[in-house]
Amino acid sequence: MDIRKFLPAGRQVKDNLARRIMFGLCLFVLSLAFFMVFGLYQRAKPILAMRPLKDLLFSGAWHPTQGQFGLASFITGTLWVTTIAMGIAVPLGILTAIYLSEYAHRRTREFAKPLIDLLAGISPVVYGVWGVIAIVPLTGFSALTGGIVLAVMAFPIIISIVAEVIRTVPFEIREASSALGATKWQTIKFVVLKKAWPGIIAAVILGLSRAFGETMAVLMVAGCSLGVFPKSVFDPAYPLPALIANTYGEMMSIPLYDAAVLLAAFVLLLVTIFFNMVGWSILLRIERREAGG
Amino acid sequence: MGSKTHISVKNLSIWYGRHQALNNISIDIPDKKITAIIGPSGCGKTTLLKSFNRLIDLQDGVSVGGRVLVDGEDIYAPEIEVTRLRKKMGLLFQRPQVLPMSIYDNVAYGPRIHGIKDKKKLDGIVERYLKESSLWTEVKSRLHSSASKLSIGQQQRLCLARGLAIEPEAILGDEPTSALDPVSAERIEQRLLDIKNQYTIVLVTHILRQARRLADYIVFLYLGNLIEHGPAEKIFNDPQDTRTQAYINGRFS
């Protein structure tokens, strides 16, 4: 007896259809990234044709009405806040992760992990408000304040990735070090961190990429005034993402304004994609190495 | 046997959480002899071995009853400094666990953490113990390349050199040849025989023939209990307990 007779004809079709629809949706989502890069490049092209790239990136003169579109002060602002954020978040994040994965009691770890993940999920605007209320009174609307707020936002991602990577270091290798009479700290410093090093770099890069692209919180606390070149961390800074968010929409009447801002977005997108690709490829390699034994 | 005791175990019981791994063990491990701990898998051999340098402390939820005396000192007493105790024992694992650093740094690791900084002195130590574990000629031209590039057999000899470099009194081996090819295994066995006059050696093994070849003294464990112990000839030729007889005749493994 042919078993196919009992399979309702529609089932096969539905199965095929479901697979095709899901494949299409997946393709659509993946292609968005390409369209974004391509679209931004297309819209930024007019200004790249009119002005040398060097002037656009390294000149501090931003006078759209006079046709000057130097992005240097915004790029500098971005570098300031990102550097400060990383300077704070990297050491604190790594040490916290070490404590949680090596020293903390299991119950402490189980309590802390969801809290840290929660920090990652809080809306940036809430961090912004917190920055205005708690940090601005101390350090003013400045690059420093932006950096501090960003550091807090980059924390969770650094902590959770570093803790994850430290956990992949085999227990036996800690045993080997301890058996030679090493203290716990010596074992961590010379063996565990050495083994976890690439993963820690990846965590830092992914944290950096978050800080680099963050808009809302920085916009609220970093000052963001036009015409001030941020010479020190105490000056107001106007990072790229904030520029894009603030000026998009008011630019229509001024020639090339639109292209200049979209160039900023293009630069931001490329840098973020680059950071993410490097970070994830390191993590992927570690994962494969662990899986391969 | 007329030999003095190096490690003395008195009424030792060990639990992992609720599971009891060792039950009221009492034995004396003789000084400068090879003692083999034998018995079927899961009988507590490794636990007993790792209780000698308190490496079981690293496991979660371990509790220890009874005492272990090393050179007459109770190593589970609160005033004992664990790192000093561990420096007295070199440990070889089933699979060689090289540290993620160069060959040189692997051997120098122990001396360095115990405070030796002088470069010349370290050079001497590295050379001496690589020779003692018969690895020197194979690696002397690439001391600063990564230890993980060595073959498994070479890695295990490196681990032996690393263990010897802390100048221990005892060498503990947890089935140290089980991951090795026959030639490498034989070289490790030979090294152990060569140095047994200088160190107390305790080996966990599930290879009976290895125990026959190497051991002066045998400890037979079964399901966490000490069944029988004594000089090797006696255990192998005239075992008293029926379980020992059955195990030695290969009726279970």
Side-chain angles (χ1 to χ4, degrees), chain B residues 126-157:
Chain B
V126 170
E127 179 171 351
R128 175 171 165 209
Y129 290 106
L130 282 174
K131 277 179 176 160
E132 207 155 302
S133 55
S134 63
L135 190 61
W136 175 251
T137 48
E138 292 159 61
V139 300
K140 65 179 175 192
S141 59
R142 47 174 171 145
L143 287 176
H144 294 283
S145 63
S146 166
S148 57
K149 293 204 181 88
L150 297 172
S151 74
I152 296 289
Q154 288 172 324
Q155 286 186 19
Q156 192 65 304
R157 275 181 282 147

Side-chain angles (χ1 to χ4, degrees), chain B residues 18-34:
Chain B
R18 293 230 176 95
H19 168 73
Q20 185 166 14
L22 289 179
N23 178 22
N24 201 23
I25 308 277
S26 296
I27 30 163
D28 289 340
I29 307 281
D31 193 33
K32 308 250 186 321
K33 299 271 185 230
I34 297 184

Side-chain angles (χ1 to χ4, degrees), chain A residues 172-173 175-176 179, chain B residues 37 39-47 49-50 55 90-98 151-157 159-160 162 172-181 184-185 188 202-207 210:
Chain A
E172 289 78 9
I173 208 159
E175 267 192 316
Chain B
I37 304 174
S41 313
C43 67
K45 302 186 294 266
T46 300
T47 302
L49 189 80
K50 286 182 179 172
L55 209 57
L91 181 64
L92 287 175
F93 295 87
Q94 275 186 30
R95 297 188 60 80
Q97 299 294 339
V98 296
S151 74
I152 296 289
Q154 288 172 324
Q155 286 186 19
Q156 192 65 304
R157 275 181 282 147
C159 290
L160 180 61
R162 184 179 71 190
L172 311 176
D174 184 6
E175 305 188 14
T177 62
S178 63
L180 308 186
D181 63 273
S184 303
I188 292 279
V202 186
L203 285 181
V204 162
T205 180
H206 64 245
I207 313 168
Q210 185 175 54

Side-chain angles (χ1 to χ4, degrees), chain A residues 106 109 170-183 186-187 190-192 194-195, chain B residues 50 53 55 58-59 83 86-87 89 91 93 97-101 109-110 113-114 162-163 166:
Chain A
R106 196 164 53 93
R109 198 158 54 221
F171 176 70
E172 289 78 9
I173 208 159
R174 297 160 212 254
E175 267 192 316
S177 171
S178 306
L180 292 165
T183 61
Q186 285 172 326
T187 300
F190 299 127
V191 177
V192 176
K194 192 140 190 202
K195 197 100 176 162
Chain B
K50 286 182 179 172
N53 67 352
L55 209 57
L58 301 183
Q59 237 88 355
T83 52
R86 292 188 182 141
K87 191 182 173 300
M89 319 245 176
L91 181 64
F93 295 87
Q97 299 294 339
V98 296
L99 302 173
M101 47 188 84
Y109 183 79
I113 57 176
H114 294 292
R162 184 179 71 190
I166 56 171

Side-chain angles (χ1 to χ4, degrees), chain B residues 9-15 20-27 65-66 224-226:
Chain B
V9 181
K10 294 194 190 303
N11 308 105
L12 182 70
S13 294
I14 292 178
W15 292 263
Q20 185 166 14
L22 289 179
N23 178 22
N24 201 23
I25 308 277
S26 296
I27 30 163
N225 292 296
L226 176 65

Side-chain angles (χ1 to χ4, degrees), chain A:
Chain A
M1 196 160 69
D2 185 1
I3 54 168
R4 263 179 297 182
K5 233 187 251 169
F6 294 99
L7 192 72
R11 262 173 55 175
Q12 198 71 41
V13 180
K14 272 186 200 159
D15 187 47
N16 262 326
L17 200 66
R19 200 190 65 214
R20 282 193 189 145
I21 289 174
M22 284 186 276
F23 174 72
L25 285 174
C26 179
L27 209 63
F28 170 71
V29 171
L30 291 178
S31 64
L32 278 180
F34 289 101
F35 282 124
M36 268 162 110
V37 175
F38 186 70
L40 279 179
Y41 176 70
Q42 281 297 324
R43 298 285 301 273
K45 233 161 105 183
I47 198 163
L48 288 170
M50 307 273 292
R51 307 266 188 280
L53 188 64
K54 201 181 89 201
D55 283 5
L56 291 169
L57 295 183
F58 300 111
S59 154
W62 177 264
H63 303 292
T65 45
Q66 295 154 37
Q68 288 178 311
F69 297 100
L71 291 170
S73 69
F74 307 105
I75 293 174
T76 313
T78 296
L79 291 179
W80 271 132
V81 293
T82 320
T83 312
I84 295 162
M86 288 294 106
I88 300 169
V90 168
L92 289 185
I94 291 177
L95 293 177
T96 308
I98 291 174
Y99 174 75
L100 283 178
S101 52
E102 295 287 319
Y103 289 94
H105 198 272
R106 196 164 53 93
R107 247 174 290 161
T108 316
R109 198 158 54 221
E110 279 164 6
F111 174 75
K113 200 181 170 337
L115 266 185
I116 289 165
D117 291 342
L118 186 76
L119 279 180
I122 293 177
S123 165
V125 76
V126 176
Y127 282 103
V129 170
W130 169 76
V132 172
I133 295 169
I135 312 293
V136 168
L138 305 172
T139 50
F141 287 99
S142 64
L144 182 61
T145 314
I148 293 172
V149 173
L150 279 184
V152 177
M153 296 179 71
F155 246 174
I157 188 167
I158 295 181
I159 294 175
S160 60
I161 296 179
V162 171
E164 202 63 49
V165 169
I166 286 180
R167 227 162 296 143
T168 65
V169 176
F171 176 70
E172 289 78 9
I173 208 159
R174 297 160 212 254
E175 267 192 316
S177 171
S178 306
L180 292 165
T183 61
K184 188 152 196 160
W185 176 235
Q186 285 172 326
T187 300
I188 292 168
K189 204 165 44 163
F190 299 127
V191 177
V192 176
L193 288 187
K194 192 140 190 202
K195 197 100 176 162
W197 195 233
I200 292 173
I201 305 254
V204 170
I205 292 174
L206 292 175
L208 189 72
S209 139
R210 160 128 215 218
F212 197 80
E214 175 47 42
T215 310
M216 199 48 178
V218 179
L219 191 101
M220 292 170 76
V221 301
C224 299
S225 49
L226 281 170
V228 184
F229 191 90
K231 287 196 199 70
S232 87
V233 295
F234 302 106
D235 288 340
Y238 204 157
L240 283 177
L243 169 78
I244 300 163
N246 263 353
T247 50
Y248 200 88
E250 68 173 58
M251 59 183 71
M252 296 313 170
S253 53
I254 304 168
L256 289 182
Y257 201 154
D258 166 275
V261 173
L262 288 168
L263 175 69
F266 183 60
V267 170
L268 195 67
L269 182 66
L270 283 190
V271 173
T272 312
I273 288 178
F274 174 73
F275 281 158
N276 273 286
M277 269 165 50
V278 172
W280 284 113
S281 69
I282 296 174
L283 285 182
L284 213 69
R285 262 182 46 198
I286 297 173
E287 221 167 77
R288 268 197 220 127
R289 192 186 64 202
E290 291 311 317

